[in-house]
Amino acid sequence: AGATYTRQIPNIKKKYDYGALIFILTFNLVVVSGLRADQVLELARDRLATIVMGFAICIFISLLVFPIWAGDELHHSLISRFEDLARSLEGFSKEYFENDNHKEKKSNANFSGKCKSILHSKAKDESLVNFARWEPWHGKFGFSYPWGKYLKIGEDLRDLAIIILSLKGCHDQSSEILEESVKEACEGIVASLAWTIKELGESIKEMSKCRYEEMIVPKMKSVRIEVSAIVNPFALGTYLENSDGLGIASFVHSLMKMVEKLEELAKEVEELGQLGGFHENS
């Protein structure tokens, strides 16, 4: 009854549900065998020995023969999402700001698919983090490695993916005339944002500190200035005279939200570097 009750507690169910289930099954097996009182102790001993042998074989295979670390999988998965977001922004820029032919546009149109795949990464992240916390020291990951930070970074990446998807909808609402008026500025801003995402991903990949004050902060300040130049009072008046101007206004607002989210993401990566003992850039 106690084991059954503990399975309803969220934290226990999340981390120890399988162990509680095995305990209940073993207990029931021993109780049923009570019909043969002389075999109870023997059955309990055999059952315990089977569990211990299974555990020992699992640990031996997992640690020495064919180690598959949840921490490594989580680390590489997070890095790949940085790369996918950067490519998505670059694909967006090529599709909407460059004079590509139809074939090239079609090849770049998969940027939205990459963003959508990132949106479904939460459950996998939580599962891998729970496993990684139980893993021994291996490779570059110590016992106190801040795996929890990966959850926060993953959440920021999903927010960025949502914003990138919204850029497409905002852009589709704007006219060609308005598009040309801000095309060059927006193309430069998107390129800067893609560069920043790549830089942060590379920092985690190489486990080196992200040079937040030296490179990220100046880059974000420059982008903010460029975005502000697009939304100056004269430009806003011109845009809002046309109903299509709402598309431009929404587009610029999404760019500003992306800048803010990238600043939050950069701080999280910087904290990860401090807590995880990332080395200084040479």
Side-chain angles (χ1 to χ4, degrees):
T4 302
Y5 173 77
T6 58
R7 292 185 66 201
Q8 310 307 314
I9 301 174
N11 287 337
I12 299 296
K13 184 174 181 61
K14 187 176 181 180
K15 298 181 180 180
Y16 309 107
D17 186 64
Y18 183 72
L21 179 62
I22 293 299
F23 172 81
I24 293 172
L25 293 176
T26 302
F27 181 83
N28 290 335
L29 181 61
V30 174
V31 169
V32 170
S33 68
L35 297 175
R36 299 178 179 178
D38 57 328
Q39 297 183 1
V40 172
L41 294 179
E42 181 181 353
L43 180 62
R45 184 191 63 221
D46 292 344
R47 180 68 171 168
L48 180 61
T50 302
I51 293 174
V52 171
M53 285 189 293
F55 179 79
I57 293 173
C58 178
I59 294 298
F60 177 77
I61 297 296
S62 299
L63 296 183
L64 302 177
V65 179
F66 191 68
I68 300 177
W69 303 111
D72 289 340
E73 184 177 351
L74 176 63
H75 188 74
H76 295 311
S77 173
L78 194 74
I79 293 170
S80 68
R81 273 175 268 165
F82 276 93
E83 296 171 351
D84 286 343
L85 282 179
R87 291 195 192 102
S88 296
L89 274 177
E90 292 170 347
F92 172 83
S93 179
K94 290 179 180 179
E95 183 171 347
Y96 290 100
F97 296 135
E98 295 182 8
N99 295 321
D100 294 336
N101 57 41
H102 177 73
K103 183 177 180 181
E104 289 173 331
K105 283 190 175 183
K106 186 176 180 180
S107 66
N108 292 321
N110 64 343
F111 74 87
S112 60
K114 293 179 180 178
C115 290
K116 290 176 182 177
S117 66
I118 292 174
L119 297 180
H120 301 289
S121 61
K122 183 177 181 179
K124 180 180 178 181
D125 284 354
E126 291 178 346
S127 176
L128 289 175
V129 166
N130 287 332
F131 286 123
R133 285 170 173 162
W134 287 91
E135 291 178 345
W137 189 310
H138 62 282
K140 298 176 285 188
F141 307 116
F143 289 114
S144 59
Y145 192 77
W147 295 113
K149 274 293 177 184
Y150 280 63
L151 293 178
K152 176 57 180 170
I153 292 175
E155 191 66 35
D156 289 340
L157 292 177
R158 285 187 288 274
D159 290 340
L160 282 173
I162 292 173
I163 297 173
I164 293 175
L165 289 174
S166 72
L167 289 177
K168 181 179 183 297
C170 296
H171 191 282
D172 291 343
Q173 298 175 21
S174 60
S175 68
E176 291 296 327
I177 296 176
L178 290 174
E179 177 186 323
E180 289 298 326
S181 64
V182 296
K183 174 181 175 181
E184 185 175 351
C186 287
E187 190 175 356
I189 292 170
V190 170
S192 296
L193 295 175
W195 176 89
T196 303
I197 293 175
K198 283 183 178 179
E199 184 71 16
L200 295 176
E202 191 67 20
S203 170
I204 297 178
K205 180 179 180 180
E206 300 297 331
M207 299 191 75
S208 60
K209 294 186 178 178
C210 68
R211 295 181 290 181
Y212 178 75
E213 295 292 341
E214 296 85 353
M215 298 186 66
I216 305 300
V217 171
K219 177 67 72 172
M220 289 297 98
K221 286 182 178 179
S222 174
V223 171
R224 281 183 176 274
I225 293 173
E226 292 177 17
V227 174
S228 299
I230 297 176
V231 294
N232 64 72
F234 175 77
L236 280 177
T238 303
Y239 300 155
L240 296 178
E241 287 177 359
N242 191 310
S243 60
D244 291 334
L246 294 176
I248 291 294
S250 299
F251 183 81
V252 173
H253 177 67
S254 294
L255 286 179
M256 185 59 72
K257 286 202 310 183
M258 183 174 290
V259 172
E260 294 172 356
K261 183 55 64 175
L262 264 179
E263 289 175 340
E264 294 179 17
L265 178 61
K267 290 179 181 178
E268 292 294 335
V269 174
E270 182 187 32
E271 291 179 11
L272 174 64
Q274 294 172 352
L275 297 173
F278 287 10
H279 61 81
E280 296 285 348
N281 285 283
S282 57

